[in-house]
Amino acid sequence: MKMNNWYKLICNKYDLQLVGTLNGGQSFRWKKYMEDDNEQWIGVFNKRVWILQQHENEILYKVFESNERKNIYKENEDFNKVYNDMLIDYFQLQLNLGEHYKQWSASDPIFAKAAKQFYGIRILKQDVTENIFSFICSSNNNISRITSMVNKIADFYGEKICEIDGQTYYSFPDVDVLSHDDVEAKLRENGFGYRAKYINESAKLIMNQGGQTWLESLKKMEYVDAKASLMTLMGIGAKVADCICLMSLGHLGALPVDTHVYQIAMKFYMPHLSKKKTVTNKIYNEIGDHFRELYGPLAGWAHTILFCADLKKFQEET
DNA sequence: CGGAAGCCTTGTAA
DNA sequence: ATTACAAGGCTTC
């Protein structure tokens, strides 16, 4: 195995907290492990494998990419800059998070309390395709199985990037690969259950509307229109659509209401909901609107911090 | 039309 | 060994 360099990105840990951001249920492709007494994260985005280390004032990292991909670079490429820019984009570091934390804390004491421990939580700007199919897998499912399903999709249909310590890493495939007729059967054989059909059908629906071009167009739409468009796909309801809007389309006001968020809303913010049986569409929107009014246009980002605080209490292991 | 309930796969914890 | 249920969605009534 080649000895890749360590690169450096200047970034305070209060501006980006890796554990909360990478382990908070946004992406299912990051894994934490120990290396020489350092906590390291390994994961895939942008068709590259990344190893990240959090330090007080910087992120140290390595990048691995396939040999074919290396041809895209110039003779004297400044890799540290190229890769830094990718990380800045992925973690949305151009956004001044501290200012927003201040504002959200001022409008909500419950947030202020959660923010003390859950500082530096960022919304990742994820690949739309990976995000869509990951969250189709997430419905009525648990994190460990979702993780294994997402990794299976990459293993089966993605392109090999590299091998590290005997483990082969693959990129997440493009939509057209998932639209082929044999995909549903293959996924079903591999324990995807009824979601195998959702994945294959949604991939076909996306391709019929223009594939990647259509996906990109969702970013330019208004939030409500992008959400409605996503909900025409199979296996995507309001909650999953909001996850996608928030995590890969740049619609930061999108606020996914899952069972946890519903519990939080009921308990601390909207007690009148406690007599309700189910989360109807009306209640769903009511909760979203409540938080959008409370936190403003980046409400989805703010809510993610509350979500992390709640998730944390039954996720101590790993 | 809005709301409630049953069903859908699989793995795992109790 | 059985049962409940987990980051929901779809269909039916």
Side-chain angles (χ1 to χ4, degrees), chain A residues 112-249:
Chain A
K113 191 172 172 213
K116 280 180 191 153
Q117 185 184 356
F118 298 93
Y119 55 84
I121 306 291
R122 287 183 172 271
I123 298 293
L124 301 170
K125 189 196 280 183
Q126 297 191 64
D127 171 67
V128 190
T129 304
E130 176 172 334
N131 198 215
I132 286 177
F133 294 100
S134 296
F135 279 85
I136 285 177
C137 293
S138 77
S139 69
N140 192 30
N141 207 349
N142 57 69
I143 292 177
S144 74
R145 186 152 80 114
I146 300 165
T147 302
S148 93
M149 288 164 78
V150 172
N151 285 310
K152 275 181 191 171
I153 294 176
D155 290 352
F156 295 160
Y157 300 109
E159 285 172 28
K160 177 176 173 176
I161 300 172
C162 69
E163 203 168 305
I164 299 174
D165 296 335
Q167 170 92 12
T168 307
Y169 291 84
Y170 297 88
S171 62
F172 199 87
D174 294 328
V175 197
D176 63 320
V177 182
L178 297 176
S179 72
H180 298 168
D181 283 323
D182 53 351
V183 169
E184 178 180 345
K186 167 112 174 168
L187 294 181
R188 221 166 233 286
E189 283 167 25
N190 283 277
F192 278 62
Y194 58 88
R195 300 180 193 84
K197 183 180 180 180
Y198 292 170
I199 289 166
N200 197 201
E201 284 300 315
S202 285
K204 288 178 183 177
L205 287 166
I206 292 170
M207 289 311 291
N208 287 339
Q209 294 176 89
Q212 193 60 34
T213 309
W214 183 72
L215 293 177
E216 292 303 321
S217 75
L218 299 176
K219 297 178 183 175
K220 302 186 187 82
M221 288 182 194
E222 291 296 318
Y223 156 55
V224 287
D225 297 327
K227 178 173 176 180
S229 298
L230 286 169
M231 287 174 69
T232 64
L233 302 178
M234 191 169 288
I236 300 186
K239 188 268 174 180
V240 169
D242 273 331
C243 286
I244 298 161
C245 282
L246 174 65
M247 300 175 192
S248 61
L249 297 180

Side-chain angles (χ1 to χ4, degrees), chain A residues 264-306:
Chain A
I264 295 169
M266 203 162 68
K267 204 163 158 189
F268 300 111
Y269 296 90
M270 306 166 77
H272 66 282
L273 294 179
S274 53
K275 55 179 184 289
K276 301 292 182 183
K277 279 282 182 202
T278 53
V279 182
T280 62
N281 217 288
K282 188 179 162 196
I283 294 175
Y284 186 102
N285 290 324
E286 204 180 318
I287 294 172
D289 290 339
H290 175 88
F291 284 114
R292 276 184 283 273
E293 202 161 309
L294 183 60
Y295 296 131
L298 276 67
W301 195 312
H303 116 291
T304 301
I305 289 132
L306 286 184

Side-chain angles (χ1 to χ4, degrees), chain A residues 61-77:
Chain A
Y61 65 96
K62 288 183 178 182
V63 189
F64 301 82
E65 46 193 323
S66 64
N67 288 324
E68 304 87 74
R69 186 156 282 281
K70 285 174 182 163
N71 298 326
I72 66 174
Y73 300 108
K74 295 179 295 192
E75 187 79 11
N76 291 317
E77 194 71 73

Side-chain angles (χ1 to χ4, degrees), chain A residues 101 160 203 261:
Chain A
Y101 262 70
K160 177 176 173 176
V261 175

